[in-house]
Amino acid sequence: VYIEYLFHYIEEPMSTYGKWLFSAVNESPAPDVDFGETYHSAPSSIPTQICTCSFSAFVHTVCFIGMMGKKEQDHLLFSAVAESRSIDNNQKELVKVLTEARWEALILSMTEHEPIKYPIPMTVHKFWQHSHTNPSNTRERLAFFDDFVRLLETSPFLVFPLDRLQQKFQSKFLGCPFWANKRTRGGACRRSAGRNIDPRNCRYRC
């Protein structure tokens, strides 16, 4: 499946955050997403990247996008830009953290195709309000996942492009009412499972 054609079909540009969705699926049990090859449509043409995925990865991605909620959005965006660090000399385990440079890169990626001119410098500066001093480098500020969620809440325009992309995928593939019903039934399954009820016996099967 050619990923560019999918974005053309839903009338959305091929975006960085769109690639993040397919990359998230590629790291799951449905692999075979390729962003690496290039080709020339004519001898003198500019090389064009071929972005493909297997049919199973395509189906998995559509389901992932269709069922994605706010928590999944937050985790997707954080995983796309965060880096693994050992922030303490006595700490052997790596933790996911966000630097100011990565926060700015996220802002630029989420607004790369938006016609509205958003206050980028002001949004970048918000990082200092929701981050912590790196104990091993006092000149650096780091944000953890909870800090990242608060950053997104202060700048909701950053998530709007992803919401729009999701709505278009839902509309083009099976329709928005189908996915709304699936998410409602899936939520009922999770709530039932949270009360120590076997989800296999839940009447709201997904």
Side-chain angles (χ1 to χ4, degrees):
V1 179
Y2 288 93
I3 298 176
E4 294 98 333
Y5 293 169
L6 294 178
F7 281 87
H8 179 73
Y9 176 65
I10 66 172
E11 300 177 350
E12 274 284 310
M14 185 70 173
S15 57
T16 301
Y17 51 87
K19 289 183 179 181
W20 290 342
L21 288 165
F22 282 87
S23 297
V25 170
N26 194 40
E27 295 174 1
S28 69
D32 302 327
V33 178
D34 185 8
F35 295 115
E37 302 178 20
T38 58
Y39 77 100
H40 290 76
S41 57
S44 60
S45 65
I46 298 174
T48 304
Q49 190 176 37
I50 297 179
C51 301
T52 62
C53 67
S54 66
F55 182 74
S56 62
F58 159 69
V59 173
H60 193 171
T61 302
V62 170
C63 292
F64 175 70
I65 297 174
M67 296 293 290
M68 185 171 57
K70 183 182 182 303
K71 290 183 179 180
E72 289 79 14
Q73 284 185 345
D74 293 342
H75 282 284
L76 171 72
L77 296 177
F78 184 73
S79 298
V81 294
E83 57 185 68
S84 298
R85 289 272 199 95
S86 177
I87 60 175
D88 191 335
N89 295 331
N90 298 324
Q91 181 182 2
K92 296 183 179 179
E93 295 183 0
L94 300 178
V95 295
K96 287 280 189 179
V97 294
L98 184 72
T99 62
E100 184 177 8
R102 294 294 184 97
W103 168 242
E104 183 175 4
L106 172 72
I107 297 170
L108 296 177
S109 296
M110 298 306 294
T111 58
E112 61 185 346
H113 297 293
E114 298 303 300
I116 301 176
K117 298 299 181 182
Y118 291 107
I120 304 300
M122 183 184 303
T123 308
V124 173
H125 185 70
K126 289 181 180 180
F127 182 82
W128 287 79
Q129 303 172 20
H130 301 282
S131 59
H132 312 272
T133 303
N134 184 350
S136 59
N137 181 5
T138 56
R139 295 183 178 181
E140 184 180 43
R141 304 277 295 182
L142 300 175
F144 299 94
F145 177 72
D146 291 341
D147 305 315
F148 177 74
V149 172
R150 285 191 287 271
L151 280 166
L152 290 182
E153 290 173 349
T154 63
S155 305
F157 69 88
L158 293 177
V159 187
F160 172 73
L162 191 56
D163 289 333
R164 183 185 62 228
L165 179 66
Q166 180 185 33
Q167 192 276 331
K168 288 188 176 182
F169 260 98
Q170 290 175 334
S171 178
K172 291 290 188 178
F173 297 102
L174 301 176
C176 294
F178 172 85
W179 294 109
N181 182 50
K182 276 291 183 183
R183 290 178 64 179
T184 300
R185 296 171 64 183
C189 282
R190 286 191 290 269
R191 287 191 296 272
S192 296
R195 293 194 296 267
N196 296 322
I197 298 176
D198 189 342
R200 293 173 296 180
N201 297 328
C202 178
R203 65 187 181 91
Y204 296 106
R205 296 205 172 177
C206 307

